[in-house]
Amino acid sequence: MRDDEPLTLDREKVPDAAVPSGAPSAAREAPALPVWTRRLVLAGLVLAALNLRPAVTSLGPLMKEVRDGLGMSGAVAGLLTSVPALCFALFGIAAPRLARRFGAGAVVCAGMAAIATGLLLRPFASGTVLFLAASAVALAGIAVGNILMPVIVKRYFPDRVGAMTGLYSMALSLGTAAAAAATVPLTSAMGQGWRLGLGVWAALAVVAIVPWLGLVRDRSAAGRPAPGAAAASATAAEDGGRIVRSPTAWALACFFGLQATAAYVTMGWMPQIFRDAGLSAGTAGALLAVTMVMGVPLSFALPSLAGRMRHQGPLVVVLALFGLAGYTGLWLAPAGAPWVWALLLGVANCAFPLALTMVGMRSRTGAGVVRLSAFAQSTGYLISIPGPILVGALYQHSGGWDLPIALMAALMVPQIVVGVLAGRNRYIEDEL
């Protein structure tokens, strides 16, 4: 791929509604690819998705041991749970430019290598700074994967975007849940403490590198822009600077940021809440796994349902009500019905696929969707950074979970407001 080639705006990625009626039918057809290429991409896609969350969810069940081992304060631990959002925002911005220069396959391969490297180095950290640095290396690899996985799906499977996106989402949810559930049992079985329990996930990342090595230099038809892509890219570039004037774009960015805040507080702190309530580390990890695995079925159902609705506001409200119910249970009696609270929060955390679906529905063109997605995700992740830090500081200051949980419940109110605004049947092009 040349440096001047657009990354994501291939002709087949522009919705049919955006393709002129007089355009040749060939422009709508997916390019033919060798069978081995598709199989290699499929394997790489699934393995990469499995690796996009274990660096985060393996940490939550062992947070107490990590804090004790590194002498980490509650506020610094809160910073650690915010590092993923910061890395996703900063490194995710660089992913498209890197992919234009080196090719998407090469960048994803490098991302898997970064995940493996960071997870291998993290157990050897002797202090908090080194632990954060090693985590940042792994999270940088995850960030480019977050951005480029959907691009890979659209390039290599333009005729099966829905099915491949569902498969990718399912693998991501399974990797998330597996790390949450298995980290504590693996740590106990190996008998080497939290360091080996966290480092063992590097092996999965090493395996994920293998199929991408075969795609580093792939320059198949899927990687080349079709006629008209340059014009679409130019239009997108012109609109990119003006997207900050769109109220809908800002509503989506705020909704994305608030749901990300809830997700990273859940992944980073929910196991500690259950452990402080008297549950074992293994049970706390299993509860987090239950919360995360709810994304497997709902990631299929929600986008389809949202796509049939003119206004997605009702879905925003329903998911938020599940979240409010879960936080109420955690506040009143965390050990009373922990599996119920985990299920409720798992449903609430499925605001993530809903947010991505609304991004795709708030623009008329594929070029607009790319710009809106980049703005909403990068801005949203930046918005989400203070939340986990504040939760950690409140926990340390108050010595309990009442104030942090009350904060998370209170944040559901603005999440409903901006989510309802983002769910209106509007297009950003009309607001620029």
Side-chain angles (χ1 to χ4, degrees):
M1 182 182 298
R2 300 188 309 272
D3 200 21
D4 59 345
E5 288 180 352
L7 172 62
T8 58
L9 303 180
D10 296 351
R11 182 69 167 182
E12 70 267 16
K13 283 176 274 191
V14 179
D16 286 345
V19 179
S21 58
S25 59
R28 303 173 185 267
E29 295 177 0
L33 288 171
V35 174
W36 72 268
T37 301
R38 284 205 173 197
R39 289 178 178 173
L40 194 61
V41 173
L42 181 61
L45 190 70
V46 171
L47 287 171
L50 287 172
N51 281 279
L52 293 183
R53 292 299 180 268
V56 179
T57 54
S58 63
L59 181 59
L62 294 176
M63 180 66 80
K64 182 179 185 302
E65 287 77 8
V66 173
R67 288 181 60 196
D68 292 344
L70 298 177
M72 192 182 298
S73 68
V76 174
L79 173 62
L80 182 59
T81 59
S82 289
V83 168
L86 177 62
C87 290
F88 293 168
L90 297 181
F91 294 107
I93 293 173
R97 182 177 297 275
L98 292 172
R100 282 195 299 269
R101 183 178 180 87
F102 302 106
V107 177
V108 173
C109 184
M112 294 300 106
I115 295 172
T117 301
L119 294 181
L120 281 171
L121 292 176
R122 197 156 65 169
F124 297 98
S126 57
T128 300
V129 174
L130 292 177
F131 189 88
L132 288 171
S135 296
V137 172
L139 293 167
I142 295 173
V144 297
N146 282 339
I147 299 298
L148 296 181
M149 284 296 96
V151 174
I152 295 291
V153 168
K154 289 186 177 184
R155 284 194 166 180
Y156 288 93
F157 302 96
D159 53 336
R160 300 175 61 192
V161 169
M164 291 300 105
T165 300
L167 179 64
Y168 154 73
S169 300
M170 182 180 69
L172 191 151
S173 297
L174 287 175
T176 303
T183 297
V184 171
L186 283 174
T187 301
S188 300
M190 292 181 292
Q192 299 296 319
W194 63 266
R195 295 181 183 273
L196 186 57
L198 292 181
V200 71
W201 294 102
L204 183 62
V206 171
V207 173
I209 295 173
V210 176
W212 292 102
L213 289 174
L215 297 165
V216 165
R217 295 187 175 276
D218 179 51
R219 295 294 185 269
S220 64
R224 297 194 298 267
S233 181
T235 301
E238 292 173 1
D239 290 343
R242 297 185 297 169
I243 199 168
V244 295
R245 302 201 308 231
S246 165
T248 297
W250 276 107
L252 266 171
C254 292
F255 179 66
F256 195 96
L258 289 169
Q259 67 80 28
T261 298
Y264 285 104
V265 168
T266 298
M267 286 188 282
W269 287 112
M270 193 177 78
Q272 188 68 53
I273 295 174
F274 287 126
R275 293 186 69 175
D276 287 351
L279 301 179
S280 68
T283 301
L287 287 164
L288 178 59
V290 168
T291 300
M292 297 296 105
V293 84
M294 288 301 296
V296 176
L298 291 180
S299 64
F300 285 101
L302 270 177
S304 177
L305 179 60
R308 293 196 294 267
M309 301 173 66
R310 288 181 57 83
H311 195 314
Q312 290 75 45
L315 291 178
V316 170
V317 174
V318 169
L319 293 179
L321 290 177
F322 273 91
L324 286 171
Y327 288 130
T328 301
L330 284 180
W331 189 67
L332 293 175
W339 300 99
V340 175
W341 315 146
L343 284 170
L344 290 172
L345 291 175
V347 175
N349 279 345
C350 288
F352 174 69
L354 177 60
L356 293 182
T357 303
M358 288 196 292
V359 166
M361 298 179 68
R362 297 286 85 89
S363 176
R364 289 192 173 92
T365 68
V369 169
V370 171
R371 303 304 304 181
L372 180 58
S373 178
F375 175 77
Q377 291 201 50
S378 60
T379 305
Y381 279 128
L382 288 174
I383 290 172
S384 73
I385 291 171
I389 300 175
L390 185 56
V391 165
L394 287 174
Y395 171 55
Q396 183 176 15
H397 175 74
S398 66
W401 287 105
D402 286 352
L403 283 178
I405 293 173
L407 170 65
M408 294 311 301
L411 288 178
M412 282 292 168
V413 177
Q415 180 173 320
I416 291 174
V417 174
V418 294
V420 169
L421 292 175
R424 293 177 298 176
N425 186 27
R426 298 189 177 187
Y427 299 98
I428 59 170
E429 288 84 359
D430 299 333
E431 299 174 343
L432 301 179

